[in-house]
Amino acid sequence: MAPLGRGITGPGETAFPSVPPSGYAAAVQARAAAPVAPARFRILHVSTGNVCRSPITERLHRHALDLRLGGAGCSGLVVESAGTWGHEGAPMETHAATVLADYGADPAGFLGRELLDEHVIRADLVLTATRDHRAQVISMGHSAGLRTFTLKEFNRLVRAIDPATLPEPDPQLPDYGLVERARALVGAAAALRGWLLAPDPESDEVHDPYGAPITFFRSIGDEINQALDPVVTALTGVPARA
C-alpha cells in the first residue's frame, strides 16, 4: 500500500496534494492576494519614418478615444506607433504637430520608433498607412496576417460589421468590456477581408506628406481623421459627437 500523503487516504481522511498544509495554504493565499493584470488591447499604427503619418494617426486615435469615453475605459486600449524605417528617438515633423493641434490633439512628448519584432508580437491590431507597410509587417511573421490591415481597409471592413454582433461595452468592468469588443471586431474584420474588396488599390492608401507644404499635411490629416472615425465608433460603441 502506498504511504498516506501520496494521494491515498485512510479512513475518514481527505486527499490533499503532498505539499505540507501550511505551504499549500500559503500558496493559495498568495495567489488570491496577487494583483490581476488589467486586460489590454494594443493598437499599433505603422508608416515609414514614424514622423508624419503614424504619429498623426496615433495621437488622433488617442484623442478620439478620450473624446468618446471621457477617459473612462481608455486604459484598456493602448495606441502606439512605429515606422518600418523609423527615425528612432526623432520628434514628429513640425507640420504633423500643427495638424494635431488643429484637431485639439496633443503632439507633446512624441518620439519616433523603428518597428521591431516585439512591437508586432505585442500588438492585437496593426493598422498601416499603405499596402506596402502591411506587407512588411506580415513578412515579419508572428502570425500577424489576421490582425494587420491598412487603416482605410480596416475602415471599410468595420463599416460593414453589424455593431449588434459585437459584445456590448460594460461600465462595470475596469476596461468597460472594450478589450473583448475590440478582439471580436478584429476577428469579424479578418473574416470579411476576402469578401469586401477595395474598389481600387489606391482606396487603401494614405500617401506620405513628408517634405510637403502644410496644406498637403492638412489634407492627409483630414483623410486619417475620417478613416479613424468609424473605427473608433466600432471599438467603443460610442458615435462621434455631432
Side-chain angles (χ1 to χ4, degrees), residues 133-155:
H133 296 133
R134 181 184 64 196
Q136 289 180 64
V137 171
I138 293 172
S139 73
M140 294 172 72
H142 315 301
S143 304
L146 292 177
R147 51 194 166 91
T148 303
F149 310 79
T150 74
L151 172 62
K152 288 187 173 181
E153 175 189 22
F154 197 65
N155 165 292

Side-chain angles (χ1 to χ4, degrees), residues 148-232:
T148 303
F149 310 79
T150 74
L151 172 62
K152 288 187 173 181
E153 175 189 22
F154 197 65
N155 165 292
R156 182 176 70 254
L157 296 171
V158 300
R159 284 189 289 113
I161 295 168
D162 182 356
T165 64
L166 301 173
E168 283 291 325
D170 184 353
Q172 300 303 313
L173 297 175
D175 68 332
Y176 270 52
L178 297 182
V179 170
E180 182 186 2
R181 182 182 177 93
R183 288 173 178 157
L185 181 68
V186 172
L192 275 176
R193 177 150 47 188
W195 299 92
L196 193 61
L197 303 177
D200 59 80
E202 285 296 303
S203 298
D204 284 343
E205 303 282 291
V206 176
H207 294 292
D208 192 355
Y210 186 78
I214 185 61
T215 50
F216 189 64
F217 266 85
R218 284 189 165 123
S219 69
I220 292 299
D222 187 53
E223 273 187 48
I224 291 170
N225 192 56
Q226 289 187 43
L228 279 172
D229 181 69
V231 171
V232 176

Side-chain angles (χ1 to χ4, degrees), residues 78-93:
V78 179
V79 184
E80 304 171 314
S81 65
T84 54
W85 289 90
H87 301 297
E88 190 73 30
M92 72 175 73
E93 284 288 298

Side-chain angles (χ1 to χ4, degrees), residues 5 16 29 32 41-42 46 49 54 63 85 92 116-117 136-137 142 170 187 191-192 202 233 240 242:
F16 285 95
Q29 290 174 4
F41 184 91
R42 292 184 176 274
V46 175
S54 49
H63 183 59
W85 289 90
M92 72 175 73
L116 302 176
D117 289 88
Q136 289 180 64
V137 171
H142 315 301
D170 184 353
L192 275 176
E202 285 296 303
T233 297

Side-chain angles (χ1 to χ4, degrees), residues 37-77:
R40 291 284 187 272
F41 184 91
R42 292 184 176 274
I43 302 167
L44 177 67
H45 292 288
V46 175
S47 63
T48 304
N50 195 215
V51 292
C52 297
R53 287 168 291 182
S54 49
I56 291 173
T57 315
E58 175 197 318
R59 293 303 175 91
L60 284 180
H61 199 157
R62 289 187 188 181
H63 183 59
L65 287 171
D66 205 36
L67 289 176
R68 307 288 177 96
L69 301 171
C74 283
S75 61
L77 302 177

